[in-house]
Amino acid sequence: MQSLGNRKRMRDEMQLMKYIKITKNVVYGLLIAALIVIVGGVVLSRFDTPFSYRLFSVESGSMEPDIHVGSVVAVIARSDYTVGDVITFRPSGSKSTVTHRIAEAQTDSNTEQIHYTTKGDANSANDVSTISKSQIIGAVVFSIPLLGYPVMFAQTQMGFVMLIIIPSTIIVYHEVLEIKKEMTKIIKKKVKENEKSKPEEL
C-alpha cells in the first residue's frame, strides 16, 4: 500500500512539474513575442522600411470612432492623395505627427501645387492650416488598437528600461542558463562514455 501511495505521489509531482514547465514556456514565449512587437513598433515608428511602411501612435481622439486613442496606424507613402484618404502628416514647424482625413484638395493655379485641407472625424471644423504633399508621410492602411500605449511608453527613458532592457536581460539570462544546462549534460555524457571505455584493472 505504501509503495502504491509513493508511486501516486511521484506521478502527481511529475504532473505538477510538467504543468509548471508548460506554464513557464508559455510565459517565456509571450515575453519574447511582446518584446518583438514593442521593439518592432518603436523601430518602425522612427525609421523607414524597405516597403515604405511606417507606424505611428495615435495620441488623441480626433479620429474616433474609426481610430481610437492609443492605436497604432500603419502608413504607406503614395504618389497621390485624394479627398477621403486618412493620412499622417507633419504640420508646419512641428516635429509631431497628425493623423486626419483629407477634407478638401485645391490646386494653386500659379504653382500647380496641391494644398490639402484636413479634418479629424470627431472634430466639428476643418484644421486651420492647409498642408502640402511634402508634409504628408503617407496614407493609413490599417490601425491596431491599444498597441500605441506600450510603443509610446517604450520611447520614454523609464519605458525603455521596463519594456525593453529588463525583458531582454531576462531572455538573455534564460538562454545562458539553458546553454549551461545543455553543456553540463554533454560533459556528463562524455565523462560516462570515457569511464566505460577505460579498460578494467586486473
Side-chain angles (χ1 to χ4, degrees):
M1 293 293 291
Q2 188 175 0
S3 60
L4 288 174
N6 289 338
R7 284 200 294 269
K8 184 178 183 302
R9 186 166 60 252
M10 288 179 64
R11 282 199 303 269
D12 292 341
E13 289 176 355
M14 289 177 65
Q15 194 74 13
L16 178 61
M17 292 300 295
K18 182 180 178 181
Y19 288 144
I20 291 174
K21 185 176 181 180
I22 291 172
T23 303
K24 186 179 74 171
N25 290 338
V26 169
V27 172
Y28 183 67
L30 291 174
L31 179 64
I32 293 176
L35 182 62
I36 291 172
V37 169
I38 293 171
V39 171
V42 172
V43 171
L44 291 176
S45 67
R46 290 180 174 271
F47 306 102
D48 289 322
T49 67
F51 306 102
S52 299
Y53 276 99
R54 295 284 301 276
L55 296 182
F56 294 93
S57 300
V58 177
E59 300 181 35
S60 76
S62 62
M63 284 302 294
E64 296 275 3
D66 283 353
I67 303 175
H68 301 290
V69 180
S71 296
V72 158
V73 290
V75 173
I76 188 169
R78 290 182 184 171
S79 58
D80 61 335
Y81 303 91
T82 59
V83 173
D85 288 343
V86 178
I87 59 171
T88 297
F89 61 92
R90 282 194 173 87
S92 298
S94 175
K95 292 182 179 180
S96 62
T97 59
V98 176
T99 298
H100 278 177
R101 193 181 301 277
I102 296 176
E104 298 176 14
Q106 296 180 338
T107 304
D108 190 310
S109 57
N110 296 322
T111 62
E112 295 187 354
Q113 186 179 29
I114 302 175
H115 295 277
Y116 299 94
T117 300
T118 54
K119 177 181 176 295
D121 288 356
N123 296 343
S124 58
N126 293 340
D127 297 336
V128 176
S129 301
T130 60
I131 60 170
S132 62
K133 185 180 177 182
S134 61
Q135 293 173 257
I136 300 176
I137 299 170
V140 174
V141 181
F142 61 87
S143 64
I144 305 173
L146 304 177
L147 182 58
Y149 289 119
V151 170
M152 286 187 287
F153 184 53
Q155 295 182 61
T156 65
Q157 187 174 2
M158 182 182 293
F160 185 76
V161 172
M162 292 181 64
L163 298 183
I164 296 179
I165 298 297
I166 293 176
S168 298
T169 303
I170 292 172
I171 291 170
V172 170
Y173 179 71
H174 179 272
E175 291 302 317
V176 169
L177 289 181
E178 289 297 315
I179 292 171
K180 184 179 178 181
K181 187 188 297 182
E182 291 301 318
M183 291 297 294
T184 302
K185 286 181 181 178
I186 293 171
I187 292 171
K188 286 183 178 180
K189 184 178 179 181
K190 286 187 175 181
V191 169
K192 286 183 180 180
E193 289 175 353
N194 290 336
E195 288 177 351
K196 288 181 180 180
S197 62
K198 284 182 181 180
E200 295 183 2
E201 294 183 0
L202 297 175

